[in-house]
Amino acid sequence: MPELVVTALLAPSRLTLKLLRAFMWSLVFSAALVAAAVYGCIALTHVMCRPRRGFCGRPRHTPPVCLSDPTLGEHCFLILRSSGLRLHYVSAGRGKGALMLFLHGFPENWFSWRYQLREFQSRFHVVAVDLRGYGSSDAPKDVDCYTIDLLMADIQDVILGLGYSKCILVGHDWGALLAWNFSIYYPSLVERMVVVSAAPMSVYQDYSLHHIGQFFRSNYIFLFQLPWLPEKLLSMSDFQILKTTLTHRKRGIPQLTPSELEAFLYDFSQPGGLTGPLNYYRNIFRTFPLEPQELATPTLLLWGEKDPYFEQGLVEAISSRFLPGRLEAHILPGTGHWIPQTNPAEMHQYMWAFLQDLLD
């Protein structure tokens, strides 16, 4: 068929897709402006309540001692083959078993896996990375450096760069979202997967379109689409919004010590420390709309009954995409979003049982 005819036949579909994307972006930026107004009021309230802290975040010049705790492992760097970026990671238990690779979420870093690093280093080679843009890892400034494809290439480079052909992939929040995608596009590199508090992007998309409540729970995503303003709002009153997110009595990590809180704030207080992590969110809508995907990697899914960011109904939506017998899902009663830090013992119990056949 002549190329001109093919182009003419596809023109209506292409125009429809462009109009759909334009409509979607108009909704996204409308929601972003509303979210900016709300979070702007919250940030200004924090400043008025604590005027001595001012409108900026206090720079931290010395990392807290807990970041160099030797019981957590050795600090190392890896040059990624695909991008040439230098990625920081903490490693323990080398030579004791399969690679267990941990991917953190926002607003966190490798330190969010401190309980799991101690727990599993006796039987596995445990590695917790600072994802690109976080902590001591390289942080390109361009938004285009944080696409899902590039982030998945980072994970592949870490696994192969450490000398393994596959791994047990453990992810929470953003790290879990990346793990879902990685298991779909690089299935041969993932032997087992443990996912905490996050859904595959296609599942989240379809679920949110039918459950408006999920949009309200994820309102911060819209704020993060804007340039520079989110960085400013999150840093006001010495990062009070981030402090509240991590330490809130009901929605945060209540037992987080001041030193542990500083382990997260230290990186974000460095020049440009928030831009890389927020660029992850600025790429989310570039891949929409997404096609449904079948999930097949043997997976342990842990979900908090009281998660303030993701509805419990997402668990059933995830289950409907799995091949039979490949998913083991548990909803932890009375638990919120930060399971690896708030409920480590319960998480470890489920993980040991899920991985038992690999240890025999």
Side-chain angles (χ1 to χ4, degrees), residues 37-55 233 236-237 240-241 244:
V38 173
Y39 280 92
C41 291
I42 294 173
L44 288 173
T45 300
H46 287 316
V47 172
M48 288 188 290
C49 292
R50 306 170 180 84
R52 296 182 62 181
R53 292 186 183 178
F55 285 84
L233 295 179
M236 288 172 67
S237 191
Q240 185 58 45
I241 289 179
T244 301

Side-chain angles (χ1 to χ4, degrees), residues 8-38:
L9 291 173
L10 292 178
S13 297
R14 289 173 175 169
L15 178 60
T16 301
L17 184 59
K18 287 182 179 180
L19 291 173
L20 179 62
R21 287 186 178 276
F23 178 68
M24 180 200 73
W25 278 111
S26 67
L27 292 178
V28 167
F29 280 108
S30 297
L33 294 176
V34 173
V38 173

Side-chain angles (χ1 to χ4, degrees), residues 143-160:
V143 175
D144 291 334
C145 293
Y146 295 87
T147 64
I148 293 294
D149 289 345
L150 292 177
L151 297 171
M152 287 195 296
D154 288 354
I155 300 171
Q156 179 189 34
D157 289 345
V158 169
I159 296 169
L160 300 179

Side-chain angles (χ1 to χ4, degrees), residues 68-118:
S68 55
D69 184 345
T71 67
L72 298 178
E74 178 186 4
H75 291 257
C76 310
F77 289 89
L78 179 69
I79 303 299
L80 302 180
R81 185 184 63 180
S82 300
S83 63
L85 296 178
R86 191 177 76 148
L87 220 65
H88 169 252
Y89 66 94
V90 173
S91 168
R94 179 179 287 277
K96 294 184 179 179
L99 172 64
M100 183 179 287
L101 180 61
F102 295 95
L103 309 177
H104 64 80
F106 175 86
E108 299 171 292
N109 55 28
W110 71 267
F111 186 70
S112 64
W113 299 110
R114 57 196 177 280
Y115 296 107
Q116 290 71 41
L117 287 171
R118 292 192 184 101

